[in-house]
Amino acid sequence: MASVSSTSSLGNTSLRGFGGMVSGIDRDEIIEQMTLGTTTKITNAKGDITKLQWKQEAYRSLSDKIIGLSDNYGSFTSPSSLVDPTLFAKSIITTHGSDKSKNYVTATGTSDLLDNVSISAVRQLATSTVQQSETRNGTLKTTLNDLDQTKFESSNLMNTSLDFGLFNSTTTEWTDKYSFVFPPSYTKTNADGTTETVDISDYYYASTPAEFKELATKLNEALKYSNAKVNNEEISKVIKFSYDETTGKMGIKEIGNGMGEYRISLTSTALKGLGYDTSKGGSVIKLEDYNNNLSNIADHAVTRRDAIDGLTNATVTFNYNGSQKNVTMLTQAEADKIRAITKDSEGLSQETKDKLSALDKETDRDKLKEMATKLGINLEALNKKLHGSDAAETALTEDEIKSAITDKYLAPEKMKILQEGLQSRLNQAFGTDNVIAELGNDGTLQFRTNDATSSVSISGGSGSTLWNLGVGAGASTKVNLKGTLSQDVLGIDLADEKYKDGLVINGVKIDGITKDTSISDILSKINNSKAGVKATYVDATGQFMLVSSETGKGREINLESTLAQELFGGDPKNGAKKTDGQDAIIDVSYGNGVTVSMNRASNTFNLEGLSVTVSGVFGGEWKETVPETDKDGNEIKDENGNTVMKKEWVGNTADTVTFTAKADVDKVTERVKSFIEAFNELATEVNTQLTSRPDKSYGPLTEEQKAEMDETSIENWENKAKQGLLYSDTIIRDLSGDIQSVMVKLMNSGVNYQDLEKIGITYSEDYKDGGKLIFDETKFRAAMESDPQLASDIFTGGGSVSKGLTKIVEDTLTPYATRYASRNPNGMGGSYGRLVEEAGSEKAPSTLSNNFIYKQIEEMNKRITELQSKLKTQQDRYIKQFSSMESLISQMNSQSSWLSQITG
C-alpha cells in the first residue's frame, strides 16, 4: 500500500453551506484553494511531530533495554544479578556420613577448608532455658447444685440484633441501615496496637443498676470496635447506649453533632429485651419515640424460669481430647422423674431417708431455723415469698420451714438423676468413663477425666445454658485459654493486693492485663514484649511454659512478681521446674589428628565460612565412669541419696560428617542465558534501526486518511512509516560500534578466546548480527561442573581478568542510557546518556520533559498555533470579500429586475 486518497483538512469546516447562494460560486472550495499553502504547512508540521514522536519511541525502546540490562544483571541487589562472584561459587553443600549423622547436619556457604574440615561428633545441642509451671489439672466445675432453688435465666439481648440507620419517610424505605448484633464478646485494640478479646456475656444477666450501667459501657465499646457505619459516619460517634439509674431505662442518645435522622426498625429482635413497648406499631421508630416508650430494662432483659424446664433437652458441646460431641443435659423422661420425687419416693438413699426421718421428729422451731440456716436457706426471703414483704418473722410456720429443708435434702437425689443420665450420654459419646460427670462434696455438678494427660472442655452450647451452669465456652479441666485468670483452675483475683505489681518477667512489666484479659491474650502480650521469652500452655501436661528466645548457656528467666510466680512457677512437687539452657558442643576435625571441641550458644554457627546447622547428637555417647567427688574426696550424692557418677564422652569416628560442594549449575546457567538473550535482543534492535532504510512512500496519516481505513490497514501503514527513522543515525551508529567492541574489550581485560569457548560463549562471525554473542548451554554447564571459577572470572572479574563481561557491557552502554546521571560525569549534574538526552526515559522521570525531541515538538506546536491563527485570518478576509461580492451581485440582480419591470 503506497498511497491513500487525499482529503482536504478544511473539507468539513464552518465555511461549508454559507457561500454562493446568489452567485452560484462554490465559495468554500475557492477559499480552500486560496489557503492551501497554509493548510499544507499545518498538515506537514503535524506529520513532522508524529515522526518525532515515533523517533522518540524508538530511542526509548533502546534506552529501556540498556537500563534493564543494568538493573537486572549489573546490580548486587537484583535477583538476577551477575556481578556477585558467590553466584558461581560451590555453594551447594552435601553432607556425607552414616545414615544417622549426615541427616543431623546441613550447611550453606563456601569455605576454602571444605576438603579438610569435618564434624566428628555433636555431643549436645544448644537448648533454651525453660520455666515450667506446676500442673494445672482439676475438675470442670459448674454452679448447679439444686434444681428446685435455681432459676434458669435466659438473656433476651445476647445475640439479638438492633437494626438502625437512615430512613426516607417519603419513600418509606431505608436509605442506609446497619444491624448491630449484641455480641457475647468483642475484639478490642489497645493503645500499643495489640488486640484482646473482651467477654461481656455475663453483663447480659445484669440485675443491679451498677451492672446495667456497665452493660451500657460495654455495648458502646463493642459498637466502637465493630466499625459500624451509616451514611459513611461511624455510628459510635453519633449515638450511644445510656442507662438511667433513676428510671432503670436503657436509652439510645445522640452524641457529638448528632444526625437527627436515625431510626430503629421494629423488626429488631432486641427491642423487647431493651424494654421497648413493641405494640406501638409503625414500620420504624425515631430515637425520640424509642426513648419515650421504654420501661425498666431489668423487667425485660432476662427471662427467669424453672431450672428443670430450662435444662430439659438443652445441649452442651463437650470436647474430649479434640473430639466434639453435643450432649443433652436433661431428657424429658428424667425431668418428669425429678419432678415426681417427694420425701415418700422409693429409691431414696439411706442417708436422705435418715435426714428426713429426723426432720419429721423435730418440733423445736429454733432448731429448725438453725438447720435451715446451715443448709443455706434464706428464711427472710422465704417468709417474704410466702407471706409478703410486710409479714412478721413469726408468720413462717414450722411446716413451711420443714418443707424448705425437705427440698434441700431432696436436692442431691434430684441432682443424682441428672448426673446419672448425663453420665450415660457421655459414655456413649466418648467411651465408658473417659469423661466423668459427678457431684462434688457440696452437691455441685462437675466433670473430670480419668487420664491426667487428657482434658474435657465445654466448647459450645446456648449462652443461657452455659450461663446457668456457671461456665463459659472453653471452660476446661485444664486451663481455658479463652477464660480469664479468675477461672477455677487458676483462681487468681487481680483485685488482691499481692498482685499490685502486675506481671513482671526478666525485669519487663507486661502491660494491659486486666481481670477481663483472656489467658490467650496474656500469652500473646508476653510473646510480643521485650522480656526475651516465649510463653505457651501445653495442654497435654496442663502446664504453662516460658522458653528463652535465645538458646545457650546463661539465658535467664526471672519471675519477678507474685503474678508471674503463681502463673509460671509453683510447687516442684506438682511439676514446676526450671531447666537451664546449654551450649551446643561440637567436635570439629581439621585432619592430621587435629580435633577441636567447640561450644556454641546456637545450633547454627559459622564453620570456616560455612553456615552449619546441627539437629541431633551423634559421634559417640556419654558413659558413666567413676563417682563424682567433692574437694575432700567424698562421693557426691543426689537428692535421693544415690551416688552421682561422672560422665565421659566416648567417640565413634564412624559417624564423622564430611562435606562436598558444587556450584548451582541450573541457577547460574539460566541467569547467564537470560543475560545473553537480553544483550542479543538489544544488539539486534540497534542493528535493525541502523540499517533499515526508510520508504518515503509512507508517512504519517492525517485523521481524515485514517477515517477511510480499517485498524489493520492503519497498523500496517504506520509500521512501514516507522521503518528507517533511525537509519544511519549518529548516536545509533556509535552505539552499534560500541556493542560490537564488547568482545575486544573483554580480550583486553585479560580473557582469552579459548577460555570463552570453553564456557560456551563465542562471538557471531556474521557482520549482519551487529555484535551478537553465541551461547552454548551444554558447554557452559560442563564448565560450571568442572571449573566454576573460570566462569566467575569471565563474568565478574578475578584472577587474571581485570574486568568481567557483565561490567564491560554495563560500562559500554552507560554513556547511552543510565538510571543514575552521576555515572556519566558531564557538568555538575552528570548525564543520563545520549539516548535519554535525545528522547527522555520513563526510568528517569525528570528527563521526560527535558530532552531534545521534546523541545523540538514544543517548538513545532508553537509553529502550528501560529499557522492556525494565520489560516483563520486568511479565511475571515476571503469570506468578507466573497460576502461583499454576493451583496453587490444581489443588488445588481434587484436593479435588473426593476428595470425589466418598468421597461415592460
Side-chain angles (χ1 to χ4, degrees):
M1 180 177 180
S3 64
V4 295
S5 63
S6 177
T7 301
S8 171
S9 61
L10 298 177
N12 192 30
T13 69
S14 59
L15 299 178
R16 289 290 179 194
F18 292 95
M21 295 181 68
V22 178
S23 66
I25 298 173
D26 189 345
R27 181 200 67 181
D28 294 344
E29 177 64 26
I30 294 174
I31 292 177
E32 286 182 358
Q33 292 299 321
M34 296 174 71
T35 59
L36 183 61
T38 303
T39 57
T40 300
K41 289 178 182 179
I42 293 173
T43 301
N44 291 341
K46 289 181 177 179
D48 289 342
I49 287 178
T50 300
K51 285 184 179 180
L52 283 173
Q53 290 170 336
W54 288 345
K55 191 173 183 181
Q56 191 176 53
E57 291 174 4
Y59 277 128
R60 288 182 180 179
S61 175
L62 296 174
S63 64
D64 285 351
K65 286 182 172 61
I66 291 172
I67 294 174
L69 271 168
S70 177
D71 288 348
N72 294 330
Y73 306 102
S75 170
F76 277 93
T77 59
S78 169
S80 55
S81 172
L82 276 174
V83 295
D84 187 353
T86 61
L87 172 68
F88 300 85
K90 294 181 177 181
S91 58
I92 298 180
I93 309 298
T94 303
T95 57
H96 305 274
S98 67
D99 289 341
K100 173 184 178 182
S101 61
K102 66 181 180 181
N103 294 324
Y104 285 150
V105 181
T106 58
T108 59
T110 59
S111 173
D112 294 334
L113 294 178
L114 194 70
D115 295 333
N116 303 96
V117 69
S118 62
I119 296 178
S120 55
V122 175
R123 300 190 184 192
Q124 68 180 32
L125 294 175
T127 60
S128 298
T129 298
V130 178
Q131 174 69 55
Q132 294 171 267
S133 73
E134 63 181 40
T135 300
R136 265 52 179 253
N137 285 331
T139 56
L140 196 169
K141 297 180 180 179
T142 73
T143 58
L144 183 64
N145 62 4
D146 191 330
L147 292 170
D148 288 328
Q149 297 300 317
T150 303
K151 286 298 181 183
F152 193 91
E153 298 181 319
S154 301
S155 170
N156 295 324
L157 282 178
M158 187 164 59
N159 292 320
T160 62
S161 63
L162 185 65
D163 302 330
F164 53 93
L166 302 179
F167 183 78
N168 189 320
S169 56
T170 302
T171 63
T172 66
E173 292 180 350
W174 293 95
T175 57
D176 202 358
K177 183 167 68 172
Y178 179 82
S179 183
F180 174 68
V181 177
F182 288 78
S185 64
Y186 60 88
T187 301
K188 175 182 179 180
T189 303
N190 299 312
D192 59 1
T194 59
T195 60
E196 65 176 297
T197 301
V198 181
D199 187 338
I200 62 172
S201 56
D202 287 358
Y203 292 102
Y204 290 110
Y205 297 92
S207 59
T208 67
E211 290 172 345
F212 279 113
K213 187 174 183 180
E214 186 64 18
L215 173 62
T217 299
K218 295 298 183 183
L219 290 177
N220 287 326
E221 193 167 70
L223 186 60
K224 171 185 175 182
Y225 288 108
S226 71
N227 295 317
K229 290 185 178 181
V230 170
N231 199 30
N232 293 321
E233 183 78 23
E234 289 186 32
I235 299 176
S236 61
K237 294 182 179 179
V238 180
I239 63 172
K240 73 171 184 177
F241 293 96
S242 178
Y243 178 73
D244 189 327
E245 294 185 57
T246 302
T247 63
K249 298 177 181 179
M250 183 70 75
I252 300 177
K253 298 184 178 181
E254 294 185 28
I255 58 176
N257 295 327
M259 294 189 70
E261 300 175 357
Y262 270 89
R263 303 288 190 275
I264 299 174
S265 170
L266 266 175
T267 59
S268 297
T269 55
L271 285 174
K272 186 175 180 180
L274 287 168
Y276 177 78
D277 184 355
T278 56
S279 66
K280 294 299 180 181
S283 59
V284 292
I285 316 164
K286 294 181 180 180
L287 283 181
E288 181 181 1
D289 293 337
Y290 167 82
N291 289 315
N292 289 337
N293 289 284
L294 285 174
S295 57
N296 193 318
I297 189 175
D299 298 331
H300 302 277
V302 178
T303 296
R304 294 173 175 85
R305 53 183 169 148
D306 182 84
I308 299 174
D309 183 44
L311 290 172
T312 301
N313 296 322
T315 61
V316 169
T317 305
F318 286 86
N319 186 319
Y320 173 67
N321 292 342
S323 175
Q324 291 194 152
K325 297 290 178 64
N326 292 325
V327 179
T328 301
M329 290 298 297
L330 189 66
T331 66
Q332 185 62 57
E334 291 163 353
D336 293 342
K337 187 176 180 180
I338 290 171
R339 292 185 188 280
I341 288 182
T342 67
K343 66 179 182 177
D344 299 319
S345 298
E346 295 183 1
L348 298 180
S349 68
Q350 189 59 48
E351 180 183 2
T352 301
K353 289 179 180 179
D354 292 343
K355 289 180 178 179
L356 290 172
S357 177
L359 179 63
D360 283 340
K361 298 174 183 177
E362 184 61 62
T363 57
D364 189 306
R365 179 182 178 85
D366 290 336
K367 286 186 178 182
L368 287 173
K369 290 173 62 178
E370 183 180 348
M371 290 171 63
T373 302
K374 286 182 178 180
L375 290 171
I377 299 172
N378 188 329
L379 294 175
E380 183 180 352
L382 181 63
N383 189 30
K384 287 182 180 180
K385 177 181 177 182
L386 298 176
H387 302 287
S389 59
D390 297 328
E393 184 270 336
T394 55
L396 197 61
T397 68
E398 285 78 359
D399 286 340
E400 289 170 341
I401 298 174
K402 281 187 176 184
S403 179
I405 294 174
T406 298
D407 288 341
K408 278 293 184 180
Y409 285 161
L410 292 177
E413 301 290 337
K414 296 178 179 180
M415 287 293 297
K416 185 178 180 182
I417 295 173
L418 169 68
Q419 174 263 323
E420 289 177 345
L422 189 53
Q423 182 64 64
S424 68
R425 289 184 286 279
L426 289 171
N427 288 346
Q428 186 177 5
F430 303 113
T432 302
D433 290 341
N434 283 325
V435 177
I436 298 175
E438 59 189 9
L439 301 178
N441 294 331
D442 59 355
T444 301
L445 178 67
Q446 57 190 34
F447 304 91
R448 64 178 176 85
T449 63
N450 264 331
D451 181 6
T453 64
S454 298
S455 66
V456 61
S457 63
I458 292 177
S459 58
S462 71
S464 57
T465 302
L466 299 187
W467 162 259
N468 286 281
L469 291 175
V471 297
S476 172
T477 53
K478 294 183 179 177
V479 174
N480 173 16
L481 297 183
K482 294 181 179 179
T484 63
L485 291 167
S486 62
Q487 59 186 277
D488 290 340
V489 179
L490 299 176
I492 295 174
D493 182 4
L494 289 183
D496 195 313
E497 180 67 16
K498 66 180 180 178
Y499 301 118
K500 64 180 180 179
D501 294 330
L503 182 60
V504 184
I505 302 171
N506 288 341
V508 176
K509 183 175 181 181
I510 313 302
D511 293 323
I513 298 176
T514 69
K515 65 181 181 63
D516 295 322
T517 306
S518 70
I519 301 300
S520 177
D521 286 334
I522 291 175
L523 298 180
S524 178
K525 288 177 184 294
I526 294 172
N527 293 336
N528 291 323
S529 73
K530 297 181 180 179
V533 293
K534 296 299 179 183
T536 189
Y537 175 73
V538 183
D539 187 75
T541 63
Q543 292 173 291
F544 285 104
M545 188 178 293
L546 292 176
V547 181
S548 62
S549 301
E550 301 289 341
T551 58
K553 184 179 179 181
R555 301 293 180 182
E556 291 294 328
I557 297 180
N558 297 311
L559 306 177
E560 299 175 358
S561 68
T562 302
L563 179 57
Q565 292 162 6
E566 290 191 9
L567 198 56
F568 295 101
D571 190 342
K573 293 181 180 179
N574 293 327
K577 67 176 181 178
K578 180 180 179 182
T579 304
D580 291 330
Q582 63 183 19
D583 289 343
I585 302 176
I586 307 102
D587 292 346
V588 179
S589 174
Y590 288 89
N592 297 324
V594 179
T595 300
V596 177
S597 185
M598 305 188 308
N599 286 46
R600 293 292 182 268
S602 172
N603 292 316
T604 297
F605 53 91
N606 182 277
L607 180 62
E608 307 303 335
L610 297 178
S611 176
V612 177
T613 299
V614 294
S615 58
V617 174
F618 64 86
E621 60 181 328
W622 292 99
K623 290 187 175 181
E624 294 182 346
T625 54
V626 297
E628 289 273 11
T629 59
D630 58 22
K631 63 181 180 179
D632 298 323
N634 300 316
E635 291 186 1
I636 299 175
K637 306 289 184 179
D638 62 18
E639 58 185 11
N640 297 318
N642 300 317
T643 299
V644 177
M645 303 296 290
K646 281 186 178 181
K647 291 184 178 181
E648 291 185 358
W649 179 260
V650 179
N652 177 12
T653 57
D655 287 339
T656 296
V657 174
T658 58
F659 305 95
T660 58
K662 68 174 184 177
D664 191 340
V665 177
D666 291 340
K667 178 179 179 180
V668 177
T669 301
E670 287 304 312
R671 197 170 294 186
V672 168
K673 181 180 179 181
S674 176
F675 167 73
I676 291 177
E677 287 175 349
F679 176 82
N680 287 343
E681 186 179 339
L682 172 67
T684 298
E685 185 171 343
V686 169
N687 192 53
T688 299
Q689 292 284 13
L690 180 65
T691 59
S692 296
R693 294 177 178 272
D695 188 338
K696 295 184 179 179
S697 301
Y698 293 84
L701 296 167
T702 65
E703 292 303 317
E704 290 78 8
Q705 289 169 334
K706 286 182 179 181
E708 297 177 359
M709 302 165 66
D710 58 42
E711 290 185 6
T712 302
S713 298
I714 294 172
E715 182 179 355
N716 292 336
W717 177 280
E718 291 190 341
N719 285 338
K720 289 290 292 182
K722 291 177 181 180
Q723 183 178 304
L725 283 173
L726 301 181
Y727 175 69
S728 289
D729 181 273
T730 302
I731 297 175
I732 305 304
R733 184 179 298 281
D734 292 345
L735 174 57
S736 178
D738 282 337
I739 287 174
Q740 295 178 60
S741 73
V742 165
M743 191 60 71
V744 175
K745 292 178 181 178
L746 188 59
M747 301 298 106
N748 293 336
S749 184
V751 176
N752 65 66
Y753 201 74
Q754 289 73 26
D755 285 341
L756 277 174
E757 288 181 321
K758 183 177 179 181
I759 69 168
I761 295 177
T762 54
Y763 184 72
S764 175
E765 296 179 358
D766 188 345
Y767 74 94
K768 295 180 181 180
D769 282 346
K772 287 172 61 176
L773 300 177
I774 307 300
F775 179 63
D776 188 323
E777 184 175 336
T778 302
K779 283 187 176 182
F780 185 82
R781 285 181 174 277
M784 283 298 299
E785 293 283 358
S786 61
D787 191 2
Q789 187 60 49
L790 176 62
S792 176
D793 291 346
I794 290 174
F795 274 91
T796 68
S800 61
V801 181
S802 59
K803 186 183 292 187
L805 176 59
T806 310
K807 181 63 174 171
I808 286 174
V809 169
E810 182 176 43
D811 288 351
T812 298
L813 300 178
T814 294
Y816 296 93
T818 179
R819 193 184 290 275
Y820 309 102
S822 59
R823 292 182 178 178
N824 288 317
N826 181 20
M828 184 173 295
S831 168
Y832 288 102
R834 295 172 66 185
L835 290 173
V836 179
E837 287 182 346
E838 188 72 18
S841 170
E842 290 184 355
K843 296 182 184 297
S846 64
T847 67
L848 292 176
S849 59
N850 184 23
N851 60 77
F852 182 68
I853 290 179
Y854 178 85
K855 293 175 181 177
Q856 282 185 295
I857 292 174
E858 273 195 323
E859 289 298 320
M860 297 187 77
N861 278 324
K862 290 179 182 178
R863 176 60 177 156
I864 288 173
T865 300
E866 293 172 356
L867 289 171
Q868 288 173 334
S869 176
K870 178 180 178 181
L871 176 62
K872 186 176 186 306
T873 300
Q874 290 175 335
Q875 290 173 339
D876 290 345
R877 184 173 72 250
Y878 291 137
I879 288 172
K880 184 176 181 181
Q881 291 174 354
F882 271 99
S883 295
S884 297
M885 182 187 73
E886 289 284 315
S887 178
L888 288 173
I889 292 174
S890 177
Q891 291 177 11
M892 292 175 64
N893 287 340
S894 297
Q895 290 176 356
S896 174
S897 176
W898 178 74
L899 290 172
S900 295
Q901 290 175 1
I902 63 174
T903 58

